[in-house]
């Protein structure tokens, strides 16, 4: 379930809970250091086995959709752009309305009237403000799911959708209680350095969240079963790729996920770290892709681990959080001195200042969006390259297989066949599907006698 600009800002303040919890990295458009790479297994054995299991697929020269799908993808692209802009604007409007209506001061007064203890006040205020903001944000979420149902991307019934929303709210409330407890404690203890101490607390909490996501949170929304029971041949192929990558993910940590009851979209990903690290393949992906194509998708995801994108992404995120919290610290005093009294906010350490902080964060996230997306596109491109390299020698004609994978992903997800460069820069957190297909078809250092960059 996607979030509005309000949700993005709240997620940022809550260590990007919604981004980490609800959206594992996907290979389509929208850690420990890796050990030394091993040599690819002898091509004759693994490639012959893969070929025997895989029907021939049409060759790809460019991102191509059937005429009706092409028209549908272009129409949906316009709808998605409009929805993105509406989400950004609507999220800010919701925060302004909550501030104007003085909902936060009303919730604060209810909390303070119930108890003089700060912890009891927190247990009352945090759920009320979180649910109020998210309920006001429901219209765009409902509209987005309606659009996805209209275009055949979602098959989830409304009862199931609202049940997922309710479970997401439970996670949001728990996260808000933890985050607001830390935030307002450091604000009261250090009015001039709260932004730094809050940032220090964000680091271990982010790591903990990534660790527990596949163990606790993901199973709340989807059914998981051992992949070896569902598809032994795919499990064996993924195990060979994992060994080639020099990683340690045994078959016991490869899982089938039942996504088909909610979506037609495809995904396969690697999530968690340490003992929680695992490979997850959606049932929709198994239905639409053959084994070599799924192995490439998983190889892309493996690249995020081997290339230390988890650590680099966390470092980038923490740096961004540090800068964001500092900018918020510099601006919140001015904001409250100008409008705080009319909004019913007594001071920064008042619970009621929370929506004002979210407003600042929402604006910062919106302005910084192109920077965040540029970083994301860079590491996704590197993961594409790694996927090509790690499957070379494991998969016959691995570049063609990768192009087929991207074409299937684009077809199923109705990805824009011709996005403008400006739109890519502003809004895409993955390279565009047409560009990824062309790169897959033309990346071939082996034929030139050159050594690949990542998998030696």
């Amino acid at each position: 379930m996607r979030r509005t600009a309000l949700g993005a800002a709240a997620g940022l303040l809550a260590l990007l809970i919604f981004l980490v919890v609800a959206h594992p990295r996907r290979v389509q458009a929208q850690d420990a250091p890796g050990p030394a790479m091993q040599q690819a297994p002898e091509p004759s054995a693994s490639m012959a086995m893969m070929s025997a299991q895989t029907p021939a697929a049409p060759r790809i020269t460019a991102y191509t959709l059937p005429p009706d799908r092409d028209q549908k993808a272009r129409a949906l692209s316009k709808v998605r752009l409009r929805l993105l802009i509406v989400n950004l604007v609507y999220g800010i409007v919701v925060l302004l309305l909550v501030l104007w209506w003085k909902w936060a001061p009303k919730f604060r007064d209810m909390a303070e009237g119930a108890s003089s203890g700060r912890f009891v006040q927190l247990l009352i205020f945090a759920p009320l403000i979180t649910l109020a903001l998210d309920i006001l944000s429901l219209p765009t979420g409902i509209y987005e799911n309606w659009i996805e149902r209209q275009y055949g991307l979602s098959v989830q019934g409304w009862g199931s959708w609202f049940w997922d929303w309710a479970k997401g709210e439970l996670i949001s409330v728990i996260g808000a209680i933890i985050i607001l407890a830390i935030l307002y404690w450091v604000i009261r203890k250090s009015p001039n350095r709260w932004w730094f101490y809050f940032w220090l607390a964000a680091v271990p909490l982010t790591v903990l969240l990534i660790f527990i996501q596949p163990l606790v949170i993901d199973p709340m929304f989807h059914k998981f079963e051992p992949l070896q029971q569902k598809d032994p041949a795919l499990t064996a192929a993924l195990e060979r790729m994992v060994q080639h990558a020099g990683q340690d993910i045994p078959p016991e940590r490869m899982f089938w996920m039942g996504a088909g009851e909610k979506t037609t979209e495809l995904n396969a990903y690697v999530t968690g770290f340490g003992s929680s690290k695992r490979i997850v393949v959606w049932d929709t992906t198994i239905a639409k892709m053959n084994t070599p194509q799924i192995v490439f998708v998983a190889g892309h995801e493996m690249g995020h681990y081997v290339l230390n994108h988890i650590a680099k992404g966390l470092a980038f995120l923490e740096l961004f959080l540090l800068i964001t919290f500092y900018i918020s610290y510099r601006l919140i005093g001015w904001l409250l001195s100008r409008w705080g009294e009319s909004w019913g906010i007594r001071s920064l350490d008042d619970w009621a200042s929370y929506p004002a902080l979210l407003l600042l964060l929402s604006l910062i996230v919106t302005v910084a969006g192109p920077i965040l997306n540029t970083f994301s596109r860079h590491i996704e491109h590197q993961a594409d390259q790694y996927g090509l390299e790690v499957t070379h020698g494991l998969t016959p004609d691995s570049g063609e297989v990768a192009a087929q994978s991207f074409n299937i992903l684009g077809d199923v997800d109705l990805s824009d066949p011709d996005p403008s460069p400006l739109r890519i820069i502003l809004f895409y957190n993955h390279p565009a599907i047409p560009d990824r297909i062309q790169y897959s078809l033309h990346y071939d250092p082996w034929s030139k006698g050159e050594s690949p960059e990542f998998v030696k």
Side-chain angles (χ1 to χ4, degrees):
M1 190 180 302
R2 295 173 178 86
R3 300 278 175 163
T4 61
L6 165 62
L12 177 62
L13 185 60
L15 313 179
L16 300 182
I17 281 179
F18 302 127
L19 295 180
V20 176
V21 169
H23 306 290
R25 284 205 165 276
R26 303 181 67 183
V27 72
Q28 64 266 44
Q30 269 234 94
D31 264 304
M37 297 299 101
Q38 301 173 4
Q39 293 295 318
E42 197 65 33
S44 57
S46 61
M47 292 173 68
M49 189 178 303
M50 197 82 79
S51 298
Q53 299 167 354
T54 305
R59 295 195 68 82
I60 300 294
T61 58
Y63 179 38
T64 307
L65 300 176
D68 59 327
R69 300 285 293 174
D70 185 274
Q71 184 178 6
K72 204 172 184 180
R74 293 177 189 273
L76 180 58
S77 177
K78 295 178 182 178
V79 173
R80 281 170 167 161
L81 179 60
R82 182 169 67 245
L83 181 60
L84 177 60
I85 295 172
V86 168
N87 278 339
L88 292 173
V89 175
Y90 185 75
I92 293 172
V93 169
V94 165
L95 285 167
L96 290 173
L97 288 176
V98 167
L99 289 167
W100 181 257
W101 292 335
K102 300 181 182 180
W103 281 12
K106 292 176 183 177
F107 297 151
R108 174 205 62 206
D109 293 343
M110 292 173 58
E112 291 180 347
S115 174
S116 59
R118 293 282 293 180
F119 183 69
V120 176
Q121 293 174 10
L122 171 68
L123 294 180
I124 297 172
F125 176 82
L128 288 175
I129 192 65
T130 300
L131 291 172
L133 291 170
D134 287 351
I135 289 172
L136 285 176
S137 300
L138 255 179
T140 53
I142 292 173
Y143 176 66
E144 184 169 2
N145 190 59
W146 180 81
I147 289 293
E148 292 190 344
R149 285 166 61 91
Q150 291 295 109
Y151 280 88
L153 300 177
S154 172
V155 294
Q156 186 176 18
W158 284 107
S160 173
W161 189 89
F162 276 106
W163 177 233
D164 278 355
W165 181 85
K167 288 184 285 188
E169 289 309 294
L170 174 62
I171 297 171
S172 299
V173 167
I174 294 172
I177 291 173
I178 296 171
I179 295 305
L180 292 184
I182 298 172
L183 174 63
Y184 284 95
W185 184 79
V186 296
I187 287 176
R188 290 168 70 87
K189 290 295 183 180
S190 181
N192 295 323
R193 293 287 184 272
W194 65 264
W195 57 275
F196 179 71
Y197 295 123
F198 185 56
W199 173 77
L200 287 179
V203 177
L205 286 177
T206 306
V207 174
L208 176 63
L209 184 62
I210 294 174
F211 181 81
I212 68 171
Q213 174 200 327
L215 301 175
V216 178
I217 298 171
D218 288 351
M220 293 175 62
F221 297 91
H222 295 286
K223 181 181 180 181
F224 292 83
E225 295 184 19
L227 184 61
Q228 199 162 22
Q229 295 180 9
K230 291 286 187 177
D231 196 328
L234 175 58
T235 304
L238 290 174
E239 190 175 11
R240 288 193 295 273
M241 184 275 294
V242 168
Q243 291 172 352
H244 186 201
Q247 294 294 294
D248 181 22
I249 306 180
E252 294 75 23
R253 284 197 267 135
M254 298 181 185
F255 292 91
W256 169 97
M257 192 187 93
E261 62 183 10
K262 297 180 181 181
T263 182
T264 62
E265 296 182 87
L266 313 182
N267 198 6
Y269 60 91
V270 183
T271 187
F273 66 89
S275 61
S276 75
K277 185 162 64 175
R278 60 199 56 209
I279 292 177
V280 177
V281 183
W282 289 11
D283 59 343
T284 51
T285 307
I286 295 174
K288 292 284 187 178
M289 288 186 175
N290 60 36
T291 296
Q293 292 162 354
I294 297 173
V295 169
F296 166 75
V297 173
H300 163 102
E301 297 297 334
M302 186 64 66
H304 288 306
Y305 280 82
V306 176
L307 302 179
N308 292 320
H309 288 166
I310 304 302
K312 292 175 183 177
L314 278 173
F316 182 83
L317 169 62
E318 299 304 345
L319 176 61
F320 178 69
L321 286 174
L322 180 62
I323 296 171
T324 299
F325 293 156
Y326 179 71
I327 294 174
S328 300
Y329 159 72
R330 299 295 298 180
L331 294 179
I332 191 63
W334 168 81
L335 188 68
L336 294 184
S337 66
R338 188 172 179 87
W339 289 290
E341 185 176 353
S342 63
W343 290 338
I345 302 172
R346 297 189 295 241
S347 61
L348 179 59
D349 65 357
D350 180 4
W351 298 117
S353 68
Y354 180 54
L357 279 167
L358 286 182
L359 178 63
L360 286 176
L361 291 169
S362 180
L363 295 172
I364 294 171
V365 169
T366 300
V367 171
I371 299 174
L372 299 174
N373 287 334
T374 298
F375 174 80
S376 179
R377 287 196 307 274
H378 170 68
I379 64 174
E380 294 298 334
H381 174 71
Q382 284 192 330
D384 286 350
Q385 180 180 337
Y386 182 88
L388 289 165
E389 293 182 8
V390 79
T391 55
H392 180 76
L394 291 174
T395 302
D397 203 354
S398 55
E400 171 67 21
V401 168
Q404 293 168 2
S405 302
F406 285 128
N407 206 84
I408 293 171
L409 287 166
D411 188 352
V412 172
D413 293 353
L414 292 174
S415 298
D416 190 344
D418 188 26
S420 69
L422 180 60
R423 182 169 177 177
I424 292 173
I425 292 172
L426 293 178
F427 303 121
Y428 274 46
N429 57 13
H430 286 60
I433 288 289
D435 296 336
R436 302 175 90 174
I437 288 177
Q438 290 305 311
Y439 182 77
S440 299
L441 293 173
H442 293 96
Y443 181 72
D444 188 12
W446 303 277
S447 65
K448 304 172 187 176
E450 299 173 357
S451 176
E453 183 177 358
F454 301 127
V455 183
K456 305 300 183 182

